[in-house]
Amino acid sequence: RKEVEQDPGPFNVPEGATVAFNCTYSNSASQSFFWYRQDCRKEPKLLMSVYSSGNEDGRFTAQLNRASQYISLLIRDSKLSDSATYLCVVNGRGGADGLTFGKGTHLIIQP
Amino acid sequence: DAGVTQSPTHLIKTRGQHVTLRCSPISGHKSVSWYQQVLGQGPQFIFQYYEKEERGRGNFPDRFSARQFPNYSSELNVNALLLGDSALYLCASSPPGGRVADTQYFGPGTRLTVL
């Protein structure tokens, strides 16, 4: 079983729609959780941290379910500029194992 | 404030050669991590350094080595390059202390092509 699993997509979504991504992780000892966004041939950029109580930032909401080892990202009122690859990321032993990335979910917002 | 910087941006090498990649962290960050990202995959962890000490190592062969300098900048060295080493090499830095130390900020990467 892969450590962090995501649906690679692509998700083709009309502008203004709501879209949700999920990811599962295998290491129950994981301590921190993140969503990163990566544009084509660019570096990953931190979108949101996700802690036990979840997190909301404008149009973006992230949720964590530790019991099911499941993380979600919801994007409301999607914009053309939201088109990117969204990487689900977990951190194990406080950094000593580095971040573990999923392969990413490719999102395409259509006008 | 300047973000993480990396040099060079692009590099072309041939099999068997050696390469050195460089990274400067965000000012005030003492931890630097290196990742390899091949096309179509998420980044894979190579090393983490904190205060010049290696804190963690991923599943990479001994051809990969790194070090961190007193000013917290870092070098990644790869010996005896293979075609499969062609990738985007990303450096990330983390702020010191507490929960935020888990958060990593990435530089623009060095794109290495091995011919």
Side-chain angles (χ1 to χ4, degrees):
Chain A
R1 182 182 173 186
K2 291 189 173 63
E3 293 188 66
V4 179
E5 292 202 59
Q6 297 181 248
D7 182 343
F11 283 48
N12 289 283
V13 173
E15 193 176 6
T18 295
V19 59
F21 307 136
N22 304 317
C23 113
T24 57
Y25 61 95
S26 61
N27 184 357
S28 59
S30 297
Q31 299 176 359
S32 307
F33 309 88
F34 308 92
W35 284 101
Y36 278 75
R37 170 200 167 121
Q38 187 170 29
D39 294 293
C40 188
R41 301 182 72 81
K42 299 285 191 182
E43 74 273 22
K45 291 190 189 300
L46 178 67
L47 181 66
M48 302 179 74
S49 301
V50 190
Y51 298 113
S52 297
S53 56
N55 197 24
E56 183 173 325
D57 183 3
R59 298 182 295 109
F60 298 83
T61 301
Q63 296 285 340
L64 168 64
N65 184 322
R66 282 190 183 270
S68 301
Q69 294 180 204
Y70 167 101
I71 308 161
S72 65
L73 177 68
L74 183 78
I75 306 175
R76 289 180 297 277
D77 187 24
S78 54
K79 314 283 186 201
L80 295 176
S81 57
D82 294 334
S83 297
T85 296
Y86 290 83
L87 298 161
C88 179
V89 185
V90 306
N91 194 350
R93 295 187 292 131
D97 291 334
L99 298 177
T100 302
F101 285 78
K103 287 188 178 181
T105 297
H106 188 41
L107 173 65
I108 301 168
I109 305 299
Q110 296 173 326
Chain B
D1 284 344
V4 177
T5 59
Q6 292 186 245
S7 63
T9 54
H10 295 83
L11 204 49
I12 299 175
K13 293 284 191 178
T14 56
R15 280 177 295 176
Q17 285 189 308
H18 161 270
V19 69
T20 297
L21 310 181
R22 295 179 175 83
C23 169
S24 291
I26 293 170
S27 177
H29 289 193
K30 299 181 180 180
S31 176
V32 169
S33 299
W34 287 95
Y35 293 81
Q36 180 196 66
Q37 186 175 25
V38 299
L39 200 60
Q41 303 290 320
Q44 296 281 314
F45 173 65
I46 310 175
F47 287 110
Q48 185 180 70
Y49 277 77
Y50 178 76
E51 291 278 15
K52 297 174 288 179
E53 299 282 330
E54 182 185 300
R55 275 191 69 193
R57 172 187 284 253
N59 188 23
F60 278 80
D62 292 343
R63 299 185 296 108
F64 288 77
S65 63
R67 54 181 177 164
Q68 187 177 31
F69 299 100
N71 67 352
Y72 305 111
S73 68
S74 177
E75 281 182 357
L76 175 71
N77 295 284
V78 187
N79 292 324
L81 286 167
L82 302 174
L83 295 180
D85 295 331
S86 296
L88 179 66
Y89 287 84
L90 294 159
C91 174
S93 72
S94 308
R99 200 62 180 276
V100 295
D102 290 344
T103 307
Q104 298 189 15
Y105 299 90
F106 286 83
T110 294
R111 192 164 297 280
L112 172 65
T113 301
V114 182
L115 301 176

